[in-house]
Amino acid sequence: QKDLVESGGGLVQAGGSLRLACTASRTMFNAYIMAWYRQGPGKERELVARITRGGTITYAASVQGRFTIGKDNAANTLYLQMNTLKPEDTDVYYCNAETAYGDMYWGQGTQVTVSS
């Protein structure tokens, strides 16, 4: 059983929207921090947005005002609503759970491609 499973990636035109979902096991969903990262070929994996167990949210400057992270507690699901997408948002997006001890867990990733 996989603990973090992403869905919702795909191909969209610039200016469009996508909604990513990460279905988590109960243990993962209750992690200290849940987050979305992204990584492109030859690039470092970078933080997109994160939400702590207490509800504190942080966004990367490049997505501030366009992306929204949220949690559906009843469904053990982490979301990332992505609006006004740009070609530079094209990457593989990963769901992440981090424990209070710093242990990191990753989903398999979902491809987001934004055409110009």
Side-chain angles (χ1 to χ4, degrees):
Q1 180 181 355
K2 297 180 179 179
D3 290 319
L4 297 169
V5 180
E6 301 99 335
S7 61
L11 173 65
V12 64
Q13 288 188 333
S17 298
L18 282 175
R19 184 177 175 90
L20 304 184
C22 172
T23 302
S25 66
R26 172 62 69 177
T27 300
M28 290 292 102
F29 193 74
N30 288 330
Y32 184 60
I33 297 172
M34 291 202 75
W36 290 96
Y37 284 74
R38 64 187 182 187
Q39 186 174 23
K43 293 165 45 178
E44 295 280 329
R45 190 170 293 190
E46 64 175 4
L47 176 68
V48 176
R50 69 176 194 172
I51 181 168
T52 69
R53 189 187 297 159
T56 300
I57 291 174
T58 305
Y59 293 102
S62 58
V63 306
Q64 181 79 46
R66 300 188 297 122
F67 291 11
T68 303
I69 189 171
K71 297 174 75 175
D72 182 337
N73 294 326
N76 289 352
T77 301
L78 178 73
Y79 293 102
L80 185 68
Q81 177 66 42
M82 305 186 294
N83 298 329
T84 318
L85 282 160
K86 304 175 182 180
E88 51 264 43
D89 294 318
T90 296
D91 270 326
V92 178
Y93 284 70
Y94 295 91
C95 180
N96 165 266
E98 180 178 349
T99 71
Y101 303 102
D103 298 319
M104 305 278 274
Y105 297 87
W106 300 94
Q108 82 285 355
T110 186
Q111 176 71 48
V112 171
T113 302
V114 184
S115 64
S116 57

